[in-house]
């Protein structure tokens, strides 16, 4: 992998949030949904390159109330590696790796 490819490589992130106020909750949901696919309510999978991750973090931090809200961003690695997932009960359909076109 070249240096340029490494900087633009996408990684899969699990993003989950606990937002205390309904207005902020709707705003956070809208921002995260624009960057990923819902896995469960308030839990999303997002395939992002470093620049996209930085932009998303900036948007989320601007909306959330840091003293009462919580957002988890967990790096799951390469989007093609599904070994990080174990489903009990109904299996959620995982998003296909690659850029999203909105």
């Amino acid at each position: 992998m070249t240096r340029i490819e490494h900087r633009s490589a996408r990684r899969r992130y699990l993003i989950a949030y606990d937002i205390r106020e309904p207005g902020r909750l709707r705003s956070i949901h809208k921002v995260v949904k624009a960057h990923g696919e819902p896995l469960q309510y308030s839990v999303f999978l997002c395939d992002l390159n470093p620049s996209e991750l930085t932009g998303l973090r900036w948007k989320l931090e601007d909306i959330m109330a840091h003293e009462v809200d919580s957002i988890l961003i967990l790096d799951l690695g390469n989007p093609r590696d599904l070994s990080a997932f174990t489903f009990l009960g109904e299996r959620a359909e995982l998003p296909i790796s690659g850029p999203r076109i909105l």
Side-chain angles (χ1 to χ4, degrees), residues 32-84:
V32 178
K33 189 173 181 179
H35 289 78
E37 299 292 330
L39 192 59
Q40 295 182 349
Y41 191 74
S42 299
V43 179
F44 285 78
L45 289 177
C46 302
D47 295 346
L48 307 168
N49 65 32
S51 175
E52 293 167 333
L53 177 62
T54 299
L56 177 58
R57 285 186 61 167
W58 183 84
K59 291 175 188 173
L60 296 175
E61 288 184 302
D62 191 46
I63 297 169
M64 69 184 291
H66 292 259
E67 63 280 359
V68 294
D69 297 336
S70 175
I71 298 174
L72 167 71
I73 301 174
L74 179 65
D75 185 348
L76 298 174
N78 185 329
R80 293 183 182 92
D81 181 7
L82 302 179
S83 65

